[in-house]
Amino acid sequence: MVTSPSDSERLAPDWPTVRTQLEQLFAGCDDIEMTTFRFAPDGPEEALLLSCPPLTQGLDHNLMRTAIDSLLPQAEARAPGERRPALIAFFDARGPAQRQYDLLETLPAIADAVLAGRTVLLLQGWPRAAGFESRHIAHRQIEEPATEAIINGPREGMVEDLDQNIALLRARLKTPRFKLEFHTVGELTKARTLIGYVAGSVDEPALAELKRRLKRADKIELLDTTALRELIEDNLYSPFPQYRVTERPDVAVSAVMEGKIIVMAEGTGTILICPTLFTDLFQSAEDYYQRTVIATLVRFLRIGAFFIALTLPALYIALSDFHPELIPTNLLLTVLDSREGIPFPALLEALMMQFFFELLREAGIRLPRPIGAAVSIVGALIIGEASIRAGVASPIMTVVIALTGIASFSIPQYELATALRILVFPMMLLAYALGGYGLMIGYIFMFLHLTTLRVLGRPYLSPLAPLHPRLLLDVLLRAPLRLRLRAARRQRGGVRP
Amino acid sequence: MKGRAALLLILLLSATGGLTSCGGMELNERAFVLGIALDLDEHQQYRVTTQLYSSGQERSDNPATGNVINIVSHGASIGEGVRDITLHLGRKAQWGHTQMLLIGEQLARSPRFREALDFFYRDDEPRLTLRLTVVKGEAGPYLEHHAYIEKSVSRQARNIQHISKKFSGKTTERNMLQLALDLHSESGIAVLPYADDTGNRETRIYYKGGAIMRNGRMVARLNAKQMPYYLMLKGDYSSGFLGMPCSDGGSSESLEILALQRRVKLHPQGEELQVQYSLQISAIARELSCTALRTEQDAERYTARIDRYLEEQLDRFSRGFMEQGLDVLALGDAVHRRYPRVWTSWKPDWDKRLPRIRPRIDVQVHVVNLGLEGGTAVFGEDTH
């Protein structure tokens, strides 16, 4: 990396000052190693090797050896006084052929290089330094992402190494149309981030808008891609997610092929997919690895799960408090039997049980796995069984809350499930105040909000509203490939497998 | 815009806190009515027996009780009687789940029956799908028994009505809406299910035929034997068993009717109405005590005998009521529908015209299974 240096940042011409400058720069950084060499036992000239061993661990390639092996024939042939100029000439001309290196001219560049895992070689009397690529950090192996398990299909998941992640994507998209644009953010983390898209498929206005927004990201100290989501989201206070998260390369690739933009960052395997529309949240990678009828039915199931997770407790409250005549008589009698003697109104009972359930869920996520199992036992026994026996909650309410919970688990996007966890509470209050009418008001407000929501300039509810019937083939249904191919031929576009 | 929507939402939610469930009521603040029995007491006032569900937990020691309580109230009007239920219970009565309305025969035959039903037609809670039954004697005591299987005797009565209409044809099925429609039809006749007690000194509901209603009161009865013929001619018969006496007069055979198709043709000829019923019945021979089926001719003779027997019975049944001037088969409606102009001139003296109508009835029974396909007739083979 040859930068255009300002005078103050240049390496000092005299060797002792260079050494002092470097020692000051890395004072207190005990993980930085500085090794001094002498060219020859008789020579006064010194060379300095700078590196950060934790970043180069396990590297079995001896860089100095490489350099010196290439150097020896030249050095030995010369008289002692000529050796140094020969060496400098050698490095200036990028001598050691086996290993690529950068020429560094300033102190900050040297610091950056060392901290990025390079090994930096300085020679006395040479106003530059050579930075050898030697970064080698142990990373997690590629494994199946725990949060996006599937039955059929590729099992690779993203890791924390950005280059490895890029490799996973590039290996699947062998076209120069797949663009990856790097950008470094953060003053301390200096994390490499990138946006990826397929030129020609991508929605250009959305891409321009995203780039404009990510310009503001420079000051963000990034540990995970999700730190960028607030820049991507149009409405921060909406409960509905306007981006999607994946750790699966196949999902990311299929998204960019559909014209989406992915955002990745160094140090995390989380990929943000944007703009994500409402209907995208009901899709799972596996839909495309299953038979079309099954996949379509499963999508319907998820849509059903959405409404259950959003309204079931509220519906129960509305029916029992306002419209008991709508409950089939035999069911009503059973409900009556179970409700009799419960000291709380239906709303309080529902709020309480839902609250307990949320508590359990939260506790279960954070705890280490062996203790997590204990939580679910406590939850099932104490909250479920014992609260019914104690007469605090009715069995039917437990069924309602459990069904709501299961429905929210069956929504493939965790972010949407979280949104529903929040929305279920106002729905319950509305149902308690106004019954079925309240539920309707709740739905009207929700749909009003959804229809006004836009993501990177696109309506959140499209292709439902505004309606694009052809796109619906792959939204509500998972139409057979043949059908979609025909539709694609008409549009002259590609099609997802 | 967004701000305003949010503001509205906040207002609405805060209003939610303010309205402590204004229209809503917890389930255990209500009492659900399962059955109602209406009678006239000795002062010619209404006696309303209301059967309510009482949730079962504290009564779980005796599950056979069916978890119901009956409350008897009196009043010059039904509303007056009904209002008193709250005084007994401390819960609001909810009428939406009422399974059965039992009407004592005395009330059904009195002109006050119309007023009594008016309450149920005008109130918003009882449904128009509420089933009705006219019972012999007083209706109240019928609710005092425990149900056999169901949670309440009201529910049981409703189920018996439905199932026996469907599988035996011994009674009919009528709800409030159908009753209103029937009474307002041109012929103005409705047939309600009629129940008797089982006879074992127990007032348990046992459906036996129907009650013929006219001008909002009961005027005659259809007995359990007439009921299947009524349903057949109305085209309302679904399935059931039919007994057929043997020629010796002692024993009897039975036939299971699986399906029945009815067609009516009618056209006015001068001042007379020509009516032609044709019935196509598929049936299974169930018991043969005086018939031997060995050859095809035997089978033909057997079928012809059934045809003849049914034709006779149906003819006798239809004439019987027509001679009384009761248009049980709603022929008046059919005339009105097809020949509205004729009907306007006939309507005033329809009662007098009715006895002159001689419907022609043609029955064709198709015995789909003589009972031999399923195996060997062990006893019936060589009887004759």
Side-chain angles (χ1 to χ4, degrees), chain B residues 88-313:
Chain B
H88 291 276
L89 277 181
R91 288 195 180 194
K92 188 182 178 298
Q94 223 281 349
W95 300 79
H97 281 279
T98 314
Q99 305 286 304
M100 180 55 71
L101 176 59
L102 297 179
I103 299 137
E105 191 169 339
Q106 192 201 349
L107 174 62
R109 285 186 185 273
S110 88
R112 301 194 64 185
F113 179 58
R114 282 175 80 119
E115 307 161 24
L117 284 195
D118 205 38
F119 174 81
F120 295 97
Y121 280 118
R122 285 181 199 282
D123 196 275
D124 64 324
E125 276 191 7
R127 299 182 185 196
L128 281 176
T129 52
L130 170 59
R131 311 271 173 109
L132 297 119
T133 301
V134 176
V135 291
K136 189 180 176 186
E138 293 203 332
Y142 287 89
L143 290 182
E144 278 162 21
H145 285 279
H146 309 314
Y148 289 122
I149 297 174
E150 307 297 335
K151 284 193 170 177
S152 67
V153 71
S154 315
R155 177 83 184 174
Q156 179 172 299
R158 178 194 177 96
N159 287 0
I160 299 175
Q161 194 182 102
H162 177 66
I163 296 295
S164 53
K165 152 82 185 5
K166 198 169 172 189
F167 294 108
S168 80
K170 293 275 172 69
T171 188
T172 182
E173 219 182 347
R174 273 290 174 269
N175 63 34
M176 300 283 287
L177 179 65
Q178 290 163 329
L179 174 67
L181 290 176
D182 287 349
L183 289 179
H184 282 95
S185 68
E186 292 301 316
S187 53
I189 298 248
V191 175
L192 287 182
Y194 184 87
D196 200 343
D197 52 45
T198 46
N200 299 332
R201 276 176 281 152
E202 262 196 333
T203 40
R204 281 189 180 276
I205 288 182
Y206 182 73
Y207 280 97
K208 275 182 183 169
I212 301 173
M213 315 294 289
R214 188 184 199 180
N215 296 326
R217 57 196 280 194
M218 179 174 167
V219 289
R221 265 197 67 188
L222 277 174
N223 62 35
K225 281 205 173 140
Q226 290 170 321
M227 203 64 199
Y229 303 133
Y230 163 74
L231 292 174
M232 283 178 191
L233 290 178
K234 285 278 279 183
D236 219 7
Y237 192 90
S238 31
S239 64
F241 279 83
L242 202 72
M244 220 173 23
C246 290
S247 46
D248 59 16
S251 49
S252 159
E253 297 189 329
S254 77
L255 186 77
E256 184 178 354
I257 295 180
L258 299 176
L260 184 141
Q261 262 195 327
R262 177 210 64 154
R263 220 171 281 145
V264 201
K265 279 187 195 156
L266 74 171
H267 60 98
Q269 209 165 48
E271 285 300 301
E272 299 298 316
L273 181 71
Q274 301 293 322
V275 185
Q276 163 87 48
Y277 281 98
S278 44
L279 275 73
Q280 297 215 319
I281 297 174
S282 19
I284 299 177
R286 281 297 180 205
E287 285 163 279
L288 300 174
S289 50
C290 44
T291 311
L293 292 175
R294 288 200 191 85
T295 59
E296 263 179 43
Q297 283 78 14
D298 286 345
E300 272 169 30
R301 265 199 298 279
Y302 174 65
T303 331
R305 188 162 73 88
I306 306 170
D307 290 354
R308 222 169 34 244
Y309 173 74
L310 274 176
E311 280 164 10
E312 273 169 28
Q313 294 297 319

Side-chain angles (χ1 to χ4, degrees), chain B residues 331-343:
Chain B
L331 288 173
D333 293 340
V335 176
H336 172 244
R337 209 173 303 133
R338 279 174 235 178
Y339 308 101
R341 226 172 265 167
V342 177
W343 176 248

Side-chain angles (χ1 to χ4, degrees), chain A residues 235 320-322 324-325 327 329-330 332-333 335-337 339-340 342 345-346 429-430 432-433 441 445, chain B residues 2 5 8-9 12 16 21 23-28 30 32 53 55-57 91 94 97 99 127 151 155:
Chain A
N235 187 340
S320 78
D321 282 9
F322 284 83
E325 61 277 357
I327 309 174
T329 305
N330 277 348
L332 175 81
L333 300 187
V335 173
L336 276 178
D337 284 347
R339 277 283 299 159
E340 198 60 46
I342 303 292
L429 289 175
L430 281 170
Y432 180 66
I441 290 180
F445 267 96
Chain B
K2 207 182 286 172
L8 243 166
L9 190 69
L12 207 85
T16 308
S21 196
M25 240 180 150
E26 293 300 318
L27 281 182
N28 38 21
R30 299 179 197 261
F32 290 88
Y53 188 73
S55 311
Q57 278 174 345
R91 288 195 180 194
Q94 223 281 349
H97 281 279
Q99 305 286 304
R127 299 182 185 196
K151 284 193 170 177
R155 177 83 184 174

